[in-house]
Amino acid sequence: MPLRPPRPLAAAVLALMLAAGCTTVGGSADRAGPARELSAGELRAAAVADADLGPGYTVTVMTPGHGETGSGGAREVSDVPACQPLLDAVTPAAPAAGASPSPGPEGPYAETGLSVARAADPEGGVYGGLLGYRPGRAARLQSELEKLFGPCASFSSTAPPPPADRSRKVLRTRHRLTRDDTPTPGGVDAATGFTLTNESGSVVLSQRAVVVRVGQVLAVFTTVGVGAKPAAAPDERIVRQQAAKLRAAQAVR
């Protein structure tokens, strides 16, 4: 079962934690003082661009709603309820007919997706998501993410067979969640790094993520690895430059 691109990772892990029954806790104060909310247009304009990264980088900014929406509506269910947001993130089910795509009041009021390719490493693409939250919400959500490492260090899940082939058996998958040592770049209020694996097939699939908070915005960067080539840490230059643009945009009055 392939891991999905990281835009659903950002939206689900950071917007569905309360639905998983976690208790909200306060985050640390912003290092650079109060930051204003960005409009949807301002958030999109603050996305990192080719010129910010230098020669060899190509950035594609995605329109809202772009990306994976799931396959066949089959929902993968965790045997540990607290871990369900992680599965909803990397294997999102298709929304029910007529359902609103909005994550609701607990979710971001604006979001932008992007992907970054590097000529020197054509297979090492970095996917990103920028999510704007109301004051204080981003810090609390990052605190909720920190609480998943205990109950979700190792868990399993089940999923019904694809609708096109009901003769297949129910799928059972093993997952492992590990915290990655992640430095906090300058200009960032907090940073969390982790890797989520799918270990049920003959080849281990992994998705590595770095979540950084800059004022009222959470920026998520992820990479994907297969087998003997595990997911690499997201390019630090991309993380650092994106954080700088978000900080500058939120400082403008």
Side-chain angles (χ1 to χ4, degrees), residues 69-97:
T69 56
S71 56
R75 188 176 191 234
E76 191 172 357
V77 179
S78 170
D79 59 356
V80 179
C83 307
Q84 189 63 46
L86 292 165
L87 298 181
D88 289 340
V90 299
T91 56

Side-chain angles (χ1 to χ4, degrees), residues 13 83-91 145 148 152 155 177 194 196:
V13 170
C83 307
Q84 189 63 46
L86 292 165
L87 298 181
D88 289 340
V90 299
T91 56
L145 175 60
L148 291 181
C152 302
F155 65 100
L177 177 69
F194 65 90
L196 181 67

Side-chain angles (χ1 to χ4, degrees), residues 29-164:
D30 293 346
R31 296 177 181 177
R36 72 182 184 90
E37 292 181 20
L38 301 177
S39 68
E42 289 173 325
L43 184 66
R44 184 177 176 83
V48 72
D50 298 5
D52 301 313
L53 299 174
Y57 289 88
T58 302
V59 180
T60 301
V61 178
M62 305 171 190
T63 57
H66 177 85
E68 296 283 353
T69 56
S71 56
R75 188 176 191 234
E76 191 172 357
V77 179
S78 170
D79 59 356
V80 179
C83 307
Q84 189 63 46
L86 292 165
L87 298 181
D88 289 340
V90 299
T91 56
S100 170
S102 172
E106 301 293 356
Y109 67 83
E111 61 181 294
T112 293
L114 57 94
S115 65
V116 184
R118 187 181 177 194
D121 185 13
E123 296 183 358
V126 175
Y127 301 90
L130 310 180
L131 298 99
Y133 289 90
R134 301 307 178 190
R137 185 68 186 147
R140 291 194 295 270
L141 283 172
Q142 189 156 37
S143 294
E144 295 293 351
L145 175 60
E146 291 282 344
K147 293 163 62 179
L148 291 181
F149 291 105
C152 302
S154 180
F155 65 100
S156 298
S157 64
T158 56

Side-chain angles (χ1 to χ4, degrees), residues 180-208:
D180 296 323
D181 185 17
T182 303
T184 303
V188 169
D189 297 311
T192 303
F194 65 90
T195 297
L196 181 67
T197 63
N198 176 326
E199 302 179 356
S200 290
S202 58
V203 177
V204 174
L205 304 177
S206 62
Q207 187 166 337
R208 185 163 177 172

